[in-house]
Amino acid sequence: MYFQAEQILLSELGLHSWKPRHTLTYVRSFSQVAKASRMDAEHFQPKYKEMFDRLPSNVYLQLLGKITLYTKGIEVGSSAYTESGIPFLRVSNLSKHGIVDDTVNFISNELYNVLREKYEPQQGEILLSKDATPGIAYFLDESVQGIIASGILRLSLIEDIPPYYLELVLNSIFVQLQIEQSVGGSIIKHWKPSQVQKTWIPRLLADREKEISALVQQSHAARREAKTLLEKAKRAVEIAIEYGEQQAMDFLCK
């Protein structure tokens, strides 16, 4: 379902079969360099303009900063980590399919209570990474207990746009190439909030956006269900080993 949503989006943007090419040589005027305030050749790769040129006429663009408001996370430092407690979510704990909690660090309940008012993500927000691996987005359809690191932004919607559609667009090649152009060739990538706000978001017909959004939402729900069933199956195997097959079957049938 997620793949289907991606294919519909790419088709609507005229990018379904498009493969961006890295060009070795090209010419830009000094006025273009001055306007962009950039001297690095990679910023002017023709593929970036080609991507925008492929957009159909019925697609219009909005700046992300006009659609959302952002709130930055915070760094607590490794010295604040504890063996157990409240999750401290870093970029490595964020994926386009949800929160990865098997490598999460923890902070104390006392520190959590100090930080939670400003730095705990809320239901209805989109988490968006801006450092290390910028451009990973996930919409929170339920609240999450924890504090987010400074490499993650919390986006709250201020325009009428389906949140799952925006999540998919942020994870798409259309935004990923904009990030690539913005952050340059640094080893550790930092996508500045000012650059995040200037990211272009393609808007489609309302019915098409809702169709894409519904597919993404169904995909996340199915993934959560699969995870629950897998955990239940693991527990059933443990019960079968300890108490016998019948008890395991009884557990599965609950």
Side-chain angles (χ1 to χ4, degrees), residues 23 39 82 108 143:
T23 306
M39 291 288 288
T82 56
S108 67
S143 57

Side-chain angles (χ1 to χ4, degrees), residues 228-246:
T228 299
L229 291 173
L230 179 60
E231 293 302 320
K232 192 171 184 179
K234 288 180 181 178
R235 180 57 187 148
V237 171
E238 293 173 353
I239 293 173
I241 293 172
E242 294 181 27
Y243 305 107
E245 185 177 338
Q246 186 57 51

Side-chain angles (χ1 to χ4, degrees), residues 99-118:
I99 305 297
V100 181
D101 52 13
D102 54 349
T103 60
V104 71
N105 288 319
F106 299 96
I107 57 175
S108 67
N109 285 272
E110 292 76 16
L111 181 56
Y112 165 69
N113 288 326
V114 171
L115 300 176
R116 63 183 299 186
E117 184 176 350
K118 289 186 177 181

Side-chain angles (χ1 to χ4, degrees), residues 20 39 50-51 54 76 80 102 119 133 136 183 240:
M39 291 288 288
E50 182 184 348
M51 179 179 71
R54 293 181 67 91
V76 298
D102 54 349
Y119 302 107
T133 310
I136 303 172
V183 302

Side-chain angles (χ1 to χ4, degrees), residues 61-75:
L61 299 172
Q62 281 187 302
L63 289 172
L64 184 58
K66 298 293 185 181
I67 299 174
T68 64
L69 296 176
Y70 75 87
T71 304
K72 292 191 293 185
I74 188 174
E75 279 307 322

Side-chain angles (χ1 to χ4, degrees), residues 104-189:
V104 71
N105 288 319
F106 299 96
I107 57 175
S108 67
N109 285 272
E110 292 76 16
L111 181 56
Y112 165 69
N113 288 326
V114 171
L115 300 176
R116 63 183 299 186
E117 184 176 350
K118 289 186 177 181
Y119 302 107
E120 184 170 53
Q122 301 297 315
Q123 182 180 9
E125 296 177 337
I126 292 178
L127 298 184
L128 178 66
S129 63
K130 70 177 186 67
D131 295 334
T133 310
I136 303 172
Y138 181 71
F139 173 67
L140 297 174
D141 58 359
E142 56 187 16
S143 57
V144 173
Q145 186 182 43
I147 302 299
I148 59 168
S150 61
I152 300 175
L153 299 177
R154 294 160 50 198
L155 303 182
S156 55
L157 304 181
I158 57 175
E159 279 286 319
D160 184 19
I161 181 172
Y164 291 102
Y165 169 76
L166 179 56
E167 175 203 297
L168 185 72
V169 169
L170 291 170
N171 286 312
S172 74
I173 187 175
F174 188 79
V175 167
Q176 296 303 312
L177 282 183
Q178 291 184 69
I179 297 172
E180 181 182 298
Q181 184 181 31
S182 296
V183 302
S186 56
I187 297 176
I188 300 178
K189 293 179 170 56

